[in-house]
Amino acid sequence: MRKVILIVFCCLLGSMTYAQRIKILSYNIHHGSPPAHANKIDLEAIAKVIKDSDADLVGVQEVDVRVSRSGNVDQAAKLAELTGMDYFFSKGIDLEEGEYGTLILTKHKIVGKRRYDLPMVEESENRSLAIVDVELPDGKMVSFANTHLDLGEANKVAQAKYINELGDWYERPLILVGDLNAEPDDEPIKILETHFERNTTSNGPTFPNVNPRTEIDYIMVGKHSKFAWKSYQVLSEEYASDHRPLFTEIEIVE
């Protein structure tokens, strides 16, 4: 009898779905300069926003590394230190004697990382896409991508198409975040929505920081991923940057 019960229990266990909750933050930090204090750099305020969110995965845009306007500090390494997170910096451009680009922070182990230059059909500032593979505490793997698209429409369209092409390679869950410099009805977002799911029920404006009027920051999840939105909100923080941080919690089901 015990053997029968054990067999039934094992069969039930094998048929159960596995769910993993992940907290995600996307934040354009304006190189750590609070808009109301143009000559001040306050990375501690940025780090507090990140820590208070308790995010597992964080995509940060507009990060200086050894640039004079921000005191020649390696902001990527400093934010990792202040938050106690692992990190991967992805350069967009050389700036003065340093670099300027995007940053990924994570509570969990990075087991793979890649950087891609995004296409430009018109001359502009170079943009990149950073992707990390992260091992969650239970051994499950997710991939996390962070970017900051160009201001020019033609470049944004080309960059969105390129990101979709990369997204087609992934079988594991893929999360995309960033400042996409496009509103929900713009063509670059419509292109990305062919491959990624965007939250359309709890979204809202993210720019500027005071009385935001424009939604240009996003968190999306690859449509091949089995997941559910558990929460999605623009955080009320308005001091530390000219953008508001965007937060979501998703549940990945396997």
Side-chain angles (χ1 to χ4, degrees), residues 51-80:
K51 288 192 292 184
D52 286 351
S53 76
D54 194 32
D56 299 284
L57 298 166
V58 182
V60 186
Q61 303 88 41
E62 296 196 10
V63 178
D64 282 354
V65 171
R66 297 181 298 275
V67 178
S68 65
R69 68 180 177 184
S70 50
N72 295 302
V73 171
D74 183 338
Q75 292 190 332
K78 186 64 176 178
L79 283 171

Side-chain angles (χ1 to χ4, degrees), residues 43-44 47 73-84 87 103 105:
L43 288 183
E44 287 76 12
V73 171
D74 183 338
Q75 292 190 332
K78 186 64 176 178
L79 283 171
E81 175 190 333
L82 290 170
T83 59
Y87 78 102
L103 168 68
L105 296 165

